[in-house]
Amino acid sequence: MSIDPLDALRHATRARVALGRAGDAMPTGHLLTLRQAHAAARDAVHDPLDAPALAAEIEGELGVGVCCVRSAAPDRSRYLQRPDQGRRLAEDTDLPHGEHDLVVVVGDGLSPLAIHRHAVPMLREVLARLDGWRVAPVVVATQARVALGDEIATAVGARSVLVLIGERPGMSSTDSLGAYFTYDARRGRRDSERNCLSNIRPPHGVDYPPAADTLAMLMAEARRLKLSGTGLKADPALGAGEDGTS
């Protein structure tokens, strides 16, 4: 039985709180754990996304068409140093054009690990809630930033875009998935014109069904009001929670 009165506080969160000290330094055990977490966060950023395997998994398990693209950033190093290149499609990109209400983009972002773990089950939940939407083939994008979705939406002829992307790893969360929705997507859209649901990563973060419910509500309201971003809020009266939306 522990006699440390701070145990309850530590068990209430995955954040590093109440670690104590050894002399004027952090206890060795906690220091080693911290370094391990830092290494895991770096690995999450640099491990490449296996786009062909992900595309095959999406096609096989969800039965939807998939296209693969890359941003203008030619490699991970350039992607990290030049965020602007991660927001533009590579010059040789060729995507089928049509008339769609929505295109879903799955991008590696800053955590390909999050995509490998959560993209397919989250995509399954989202697609199940899109009855009545004309949905373009899913696009898997590498070296991708959120705004790359705007260019993809324009290229495929979609009015709106939902980007599922790996979030910047934290020291206790290396696999968080973010979902960004933009109505009337096109190049030059500001971040304030998007709605974001973050920290999708069961069992420690938001689970897939409630995340998909919130997204579906926001997307339906976006179509009705013809806007997204700060002017569009999760309305509890419509059955969605407020956590993680902006």
Side-chain angles (χ1 to χ4, degrees), residues 2 4-18 204:
S2 174
D4 188 340
L6 297 178
D7 267 357
L9 182 60
R10 281 191 288 268
H11 291 156
T13 175
R14 290 174 58 82
R16 289 179 170 77
V17 297
H204 301 295

Side-chain angles (χ1 to χ4, degrees), residues 69-200:
V69 301
R70 57 185 176 84
S71 76
D75 52 44
R76 201 60 171 171
S77 178
R78 188 75 66 82
Y79 171 81
L80 295 174
Q81 296 176 43
R82 291 285 304 273
D84 59 306
Q85 293 188 353
R87 300 183 183 109
R88 302 198 315 269
L89 279 168
E91 291 186 358
D92 59 352
T93 301
D94 183 21
L95 286 167
H97 188 89
E99 293 186 4
H100 309 288
D101 298 315
L102 176 76
V103 60
V104 181
V105 176
V106 180
D108 51 1
L110 286 165
S111 177
L113 176 66
I115 297 301
H116 283 303
R117 288 183 177 173
H118 305 301
V120 172
M122 185 60 196
L123 191 54
R124 178 184 295 110
E125 296 291 339
V126 170
L127 293 177
R129 290 161 173 78
L130 294 179
D131 187 32
W133 290 70
R134 296 174 299 172
V135 183
V138 173
V139 177
V140 173
T142 52
Q143 313 299 0
R145 302 275 177 176
V146 173
L148 186 68
D150 298 337
E151 291 206 359
I152 292 173
T154 301
V156 304
R159 187 68 178 274
S160 305
V161 62
L162 175 64
V163 179
L164 303 180
I165 194 165
E167 296 179 340
R168 183 188 304 277
M171 296 294 281
S172 60
S173 58
T174 58
D175 63 340
S176 282
L177 182 72
Y180 293 80
F181 174 76
T182 309
Y183 182 82
D184 195 16
R186 60 183 184 280
R187 181 185 285 190
R189 278 297 202 182
R190 300 185 299 271
D191 288 342
S192 60
E193 295 172 307
R194 313 184 197 284
N195 289 89
C196 172
L197 184 65
S198 63
N199 197 33
I200 302 169

